[in-house]
Amino acid sequence: MARIAGVDLPKKKRGEIGLTYIFGIGQATAQYIRGKAGIDFSKKVDQWNDDELNAIRTIITNEFKVEGQLRSEVQMSIKRLLDIACYRG
């Protein structure tokens, strides 16, 4: 089972779709990650080997804010808007 950034990716989905289960990664970012890691676009998540998983983990941790880090940043931004009584907040 592929576990990246604290999220279990679905086994039977294509890798591009499976990566979108991580908060903060959309389809375009998933394509970028798979291209940079050098993984074939037709492979499903359960077909990835350990080297490919490590390459994806490394790219995500070095280049993107995802899951808890991104959620806390969004919540702090909303709180800031509420504190200054902004219409958006």
Side-chain angles (χ1 to χ4, degrees), residues 1-5 7-22 25 29-35 37-60:
M1 173 162 303
R3 186 169 181 88
I4 299 174
V7 177
D8 291 329
L9 301 181
K11 295 179 186 178
K12 298 299 177 186
K13 302 263 183 185
R14 286 185 325 166
E16 177 182 326
I17 303 301
L19 285 173
T20 61
Y21 279 65
I22 300 171
I25 295 180
T29 307
Q31 289 174 352
Y32 167 78
I33 291 168
R34 291 193 55 200
I39 298 172
D40 184 27
F41 285 93
S42 63
K43 274 190 172 182
K44 295 191 177 190
V45 173
D46 62 346
Q47 296 172 341
W48 292 348
N49 60 28
D50 291 336
D51 294 333
E52 293 169 337
L53 278 172
N54 288 334
I56 289 174
R57 281 189 192 111
T58 304
I59 292 168
I60 289 174

Side-chain angles (χ1 to χ4, degrees), residues 62-78:
N62 291 340
E63 297 184 23
F64 300 103
K65 288 184 183 178
V66 292
E67 285 299 322
Q69 197 177 30
L70 182 60
R71 288 181 199 270
S72 64
E73 184 178 316
V74 169
Q75 290 298 322
M76 286 183 355
S77 295
I78 292 171

